[in-house]
Amino acid sequence: MVRSSGGIRVGAATVAGVLAGTVLVGCGNDGDSAEGEDRSAGKETSSAREQSTEAVRSAYDRTAEQGTAQVTLRVRTSADGTSVTANGRGTVDLEAGDSVMALGAQGESMEQRVVDQVLYQKLPRDQAPGDKPWIKIDLRKVAERQGVGDPSVNDPARAAAFAKAIDDKDVTRKGTAEVGEVNTTHYRVAVDVAELPDGAALRQQLGPTLPMDVWLDDDGRIRRQQIDMTLKAPAQSGAPDRSSSSPRTAKVRTVMEFSDFGTDVKAEAPPSRQVTDLTRKALEGSQQQG
């Protein structure tokens, strides 16, 4: 893992908590097109736009109704001229939010589990603190410190709250594409952050709009979801370079794909004797960023 001079971590740990729904600071479309080439759908009528909106609104419930799924994850982070891509693969409980994933970036790998909104990571041996292979962070406590009551609000697998924050002006049908050999329809969505639970606090962290793209199969289930964000690092004080006092940014693209609905998910907490609790450090880091 490397740390940019602006204080934003770039590397395998960038993926930490993506499935668990940790809150990221700052949000905006990076201007890049969504992944995958779609066949253009043309201009929508008002009736078609209403249908698109309803399809996206119902997608989260239809996906969660499947219970579980296999998930692949790709996170590309760019900051200060450095770009890193982290990949993950595993299974997720779409209702409870528990998950088991193998993550890798820059030649490093780790196992990640989320159990009852607690994040566990098995780090490489040379990075594990206290001679214990696992670390844990209580995501509920971190969410409370950040002013967000429910850490699942930003969890793509459990974001049914998005449905209430979407209206006809927010959804555009972009075309069709294959995702994992499944025919899908691609929609671009601008979520009104203020309409989400704890929207006032989220708006301060994420900005007014959460841009995302979703690809839905013929049963209305999410097969791919992409979120593009610009994360802002806190300004550094006392830095020799005056320009460093201004906020630095990192662009992050997160792509999740769902398949094999109904698969088994075996998410269990590691034995406590093998775990170092880093929740306090995470809370201190959250307070410093605030």
Side-chain angles (χ1 to χ4, degrees):
M1 183 199 311
V2 297
R3 180 190 291 271
S4 74
S5 59
I8 297 176
R9 289 181 179 270
V10 180
T14 305
V15 185
V18 170
L19 282 177
T22 52
V23 177
L24 301 176
V25 181
C27 179
N29 198 320
D30 64 5
D32 294 340
S33 60
E35 294 197 1
E37 294 185 4
D38 295 349
R39 293 180 287 277
S40 176
K43 193 172 182 179
E44 285 187 289
T45 64
S46 59
S47 176
R49 187 175 288 273
E50 290 177 2
Q51 293 177 2
S52 297
T53 302
E54 182 55 34
V56 174
R57 280 177 174 167
S58 62
Y60 295 98
D61 285 340
R62 292 190 178 188
T63 306
E65 286 171 357
Q66 304 304 306
T68 62
Q70 186 174 97
V71 61
T72 60
L73 172 71
R74 184 166 60 259
V75 180
R76 188 183 71 204
T77 305
S78 302
D80 295 336
T82 300
S83 181
V84 174
T85 299
N87 295 284
R89 185 178 182 86
T91 55
V92 59
D93 186 318
L94 297 166
E95 295 182 342
D98 293 355
S99 63
V100 179
M101 292 198 72
L103 306 173
Q106 293 181 296
E108 297 180 354
S109 61
M110 72 172 78
E111 181 181 348
Q112 175 174 296
R113 304 178 190 174
V114 177
V115 183
D116 294 331
Q117 297 185 13
V118 176
L119 172 70
Y120 298 91
Q121 288 185 336
K122 189 175 184 180
L123 302 178
R125 181 173 299 178
D126 59 348
Q127 297 181 20
D131 295 324
K132 297 181 180 181
W134 290 87
I135 64 170
K136 80 171 186 178
I137 297 174
D138 189 324
L139 297 169
R140 285 166 294 195
K141 293 181 180 179
V142 174
E144 290 172 1
R145 174 63 59 87
Q146 293 175 323
V148 181
D150 183 0
S152 70
V153 166
N154 293 315
D155 182 350
R158 301 180 61 205
F162 285 169
K164 298 179 180 179
I166 297 170
D167 61 31
D168 295 347
K169 72 177 187 303
D170 299 326
V171 180
T172 303
R173 184 179 185 275
K174 302 301 291 184
T176 59
E178 283 193 1
V179 176
E181 299 184 349
V182 174
N183 293 326
T184 67
T185 303
H186 172 199
Y187 300 92
R188 184 155 293 163
V189 186
V191 179
D192 185 349
V193 173
E195 296 297 322
L196 293 172
D198 300 301
L202 283 173
R203 188 182 176 90
Q204 292 181 358
Q205 296 175 316
L206 304 178
T209 304
L210 177 64
M212 67 179 182
D213 293 79
V214 293
W215 286 256
L216 309 183
D217 64 18
D218 291 341
D219 293 320
R221 303 171 300 188
I222 299 172
R223 289 291 181 158
R224 176 189 290 160
Q225 176 166 286
Q226 175 178 307
I227 300 178
D228 291 300
M229 292 176 285
T230 299
L231 311 185
K232 297 179 181 178
Q236 292 181 303
S237 59
D241 183 1
R242 289 181 180 272
S243 63
S244 64
S245 62
S246 60
R248 294 171 180 258
T249 62
K251 292 185 177 181
V252 180
R253 167 167 288 181
T254 303
V255 181
M256 299 178 67
E257 293 188 2
F258 298 97
S259 62
D260 195 17
F261 292 110
T263 190
D264 289 337
V265 178
K266 299 179 180 179
E268 297 180 354
S272 58
R273 65 181 180 277
Q274 298 181 13
V275 179
T276 299
D277 191 344
L278 296 185
T279 301
R280 179 175 294 182
K281 283 191 174 182
L283 292 172
E284 291 173 352
S286 175
Q287 187 174 21
Q288 291 174 1
Q289 285 192 346

